[in-house]
Amino acid sequence: MGRSGVIPGWKVRRELTRFGQQLRAIPEAIWEPFAQRRHDAAFARGFPLRDGQVALTEKIALVLIWQPRGIAQSTIDMCAHLAAQGYAPFVLSNAALTEDCHARLAPHVWRVMQRPNFGYDFGGYRDGLLQLRAWGIQPARLVILNDSIWFPLTEGCTLLHRMEATPGDVIGTVLRLRGEEQFLESYFFSIPASTLTHPAFDGFWRDLRLTSNKYKVIRRGERGFGRAMRAAGLTLTGLFGQDVFLHRIGAADDDLLRATLRHAAFVDPDLAARARRLASDTGPDWRAQALGFVASSLQSGLFYSSYPVAAVRLMGYPVLKKSREPVSLVWRKAYLEAVETGALPAPPVAILQEAITRF
């Protein structure tokens, strides 16, 4: 809510959309079990499958994509990056792929499976895991990610190695806290073999009820996965946390702090205006005011989307979301402006071109 006390229009629209999804959940509870049985029967018969040119290794990347207008170059590059890091990319497409798409993917992937667009990302994750089990393949490390993000943002990105070196049962980018709930943002998981063979992990995916209602996908999938893993005593670990962010921004020099504020990303126009003013203010207590603003602003925002300059330069935050929701749009705009001014390094050409046009 802004200073005027009026709830921003984008929040109203978001809540109305969420309410509509909740209403649709009532009749969906009747027909979704039948849809899942049909889907599982089709899965048992076999979805279309193509081999790529990357050899199977002990590390597999399960990549869920939905690109009905054709494969983006950034997706090709992401698969190439995964393969270069020793992963065999297993792509699951929720949309039909043309021969040209297969030809472009083939040099950079192990296999490509085409599935119906049922269940969103968690439906694809589930089918990929069940298919690996059906083939009797047990990787030493499994990465699960989807194309809702651009990754990696920088050359020489070490995220995959950092995830492999981090203790924990399920490793992700950001661990979210909602009251008593803890869950990892679901666009990127890294999972060791010990978790893949755990009964709770297997049971969650085997019993997951698929849905094409985004509200229920989040509750059953992203949050449900976190609940199930924690209930079984498994640990969820996020590599990028707000506490670390605040510690590092507190130790950053004034130039970086000013660049962080200059390229802050807020939907709330009051917060945006205050950040811009602070970026150019002077005075003996300027630094204390600036750091106080950063800390207080995160009560209504996330550090990585609100402050992309500091997130990238101080923490190496490696992804940019593609969503057209207001928060992601202002984040992307601030990120691109920071790249233009030199406050951030430019991402790979394909990501830069796609990010510029995705508004």
Side-chain angles (χ1 to χ4, degrees):
M1 187 176 294
R3 287 185 180 180
S4 64
V6 177
I7 299 175
W10 68 272
K11 284 191 176 181
V12 174
R13 290 189 292 273
R14 182 188 64 187
E15 292 308 312
L16 287 174
T17 298
R18 185 176 299 167
F19 181 63
Q21 291 171 344
Q22 290 172 335
L23 288 178
R24 288 196 298 274
I26 298 171
E28 287 168 349
I30 298 173
W31 63 260
E32 279 179 345
F34 296 97
Q36 180 157 345
R37 283 196 287 273
R38 287 196 301 270
H39 178 87
D40 288 347
F43 173 85
R45 292 192 296 270
F47 292 143
L49 188 69
R50 298 276 193 103
D51 286 332
Q53 297 169 22
V54 174
L56 176 64
T57 70
E58 64 177 5
K59 299 189 294 186
I60 294 176
L62 197 162
V63 184
L64 191 283
I65 66 173
W66 185 75
Q67 298 183 22
R69 297 182 181 179
I71 298 295
Q73 182 59 45
S74 65
T75 300
I76 305 291
D77 296 345
M78 180 171 70
C79 290
H81 174 76
L82 291 165
Q85 301 303 310
Y87 285 82
F90 177 24
V91 174
L92 291 103
S93 176
N94 280 2
L97 297 175
T98 65
E99 288 297 323
D100 177 67
C101 290
H102 281 293
R104 293 173 61 208
L105 277 170
H108 310 291
V109 303
W110 168 54
R111 283 179 178 168
V112 179
M113 176 180 284
Q114 185 176 302
R115 67 182 296 277
N117 188 19
F118 179 48
Y120 285 104
D121 49 355
F122 271 81
Y125 295 169
R126 171 185 177 269
D127 286 354
L129 289 164
L130 293 180
Q131 187 61 70
L132 290 176
R133 186 202 300 162
W135 287 330
I137 294 173
Q138 181 63 55
R141 171 72 59 164
L142 180 73
V143 161
I144 301 176
L145 69 163
N146 64 47
D147 65 347
S148 68
I149 57 169
W150 283 293
F151 165 78
L153 288 184
T154 57
E155 301 292 339
C157 176
T158 61
L159 177 65
L160 292 164
H161 293 306
R162 289 178 65 184
M163 286 180 158
E164 291 171 10
T166 299
D169 299 308
V170 184
I171 314 300
T173 56
V174 176
L175 181 65
R176 300 286 292 275
L177 308 176
R178 291 285 179 87
E180 295 298 315
E181 284 194 316
Q182 295 184 20
F183 56 93
L184 291 164
E185 295 189 344
S186 60
Y187 49 80
F188 212 130
F189 298 135
S190 179
I191 306 167
S194 57
T195 302
L196 296 174
T197 57
H198 194 285
F201 182 87
D202 180 71
F204 172 81
W205 295 103
R206 185 186 62 246
D207 300 334
L208 178 63
R209 291 179 296 146
L210 299 188
T211 177
S212 289
N213 181 307
K214 287 186 178 180
Y215 169 78
K216 290 191 291 186
V217 169
I218 292 171
R219 292 181 65 84
R220 295 178 188 173
E222 187 173 67
R223 298 186 187 182
F225 180 58
R227 278 195 303 273
M229 297 303 96
R230 293 182 67 222
L234 300 179
T235 59
L236 308 176
T237 305
L239 290 185
F240 304 94
Q242 181 171 300
D243 290 346
V244 174
F245 172 84
L246 289 172
H247 173 75
R248 293 187 181 179
I249 194 67
D253 60 41
D254 287 356
D255 287 342
L256 179 53
L257 182 53
R258 289 188 185 278
T260 295
L261 291 166
R262 190 176 302 116
H263 298 291
F266 295 107
V267 176
D268 185 331
D270 292 337
L271 287 175
R274 290 173 63 193
R276 287 193 299 270
R277 278 198 307 273
L278 277 168
S280 57
D281 277 353
T282 58
D285 61 344
W286 170 80
R287 184 176 179 85
Q289 290 181 8
L291 291 173
F293 171 79
V294 169
S296 64
S297 69
L298 293 181
Q299 295 175 13
S300 58
L302 298 168
F303 69 91
Y304 59 81
S305 57
S306 298
Y307 297 109
V309 168
V312 173
R313 288 176 56 178
L314 296 178
M315 303 181 75
Y317 189 75
V319 304
L320 187 64
K321 291 186 180 178
K322 298 179 181 179
S323 169
R324 288 191 172 92
E325 292 184 353
V327 171
S328 293
L329 289 174
V330 295
W331 170 17
R332 207 149 58 240
K333 182 174 183 290
Y335 172 86
L336 292 171
E337 288 174 350
V339 168
E340 186 176 2
T341 65
L344 283 178
V349 173
I351 292 178
L352 183 61
Q353 291 175 342
E354 292 169 25
I356 289 172
T357 59
R358 196 174 177 86
F359 283 97

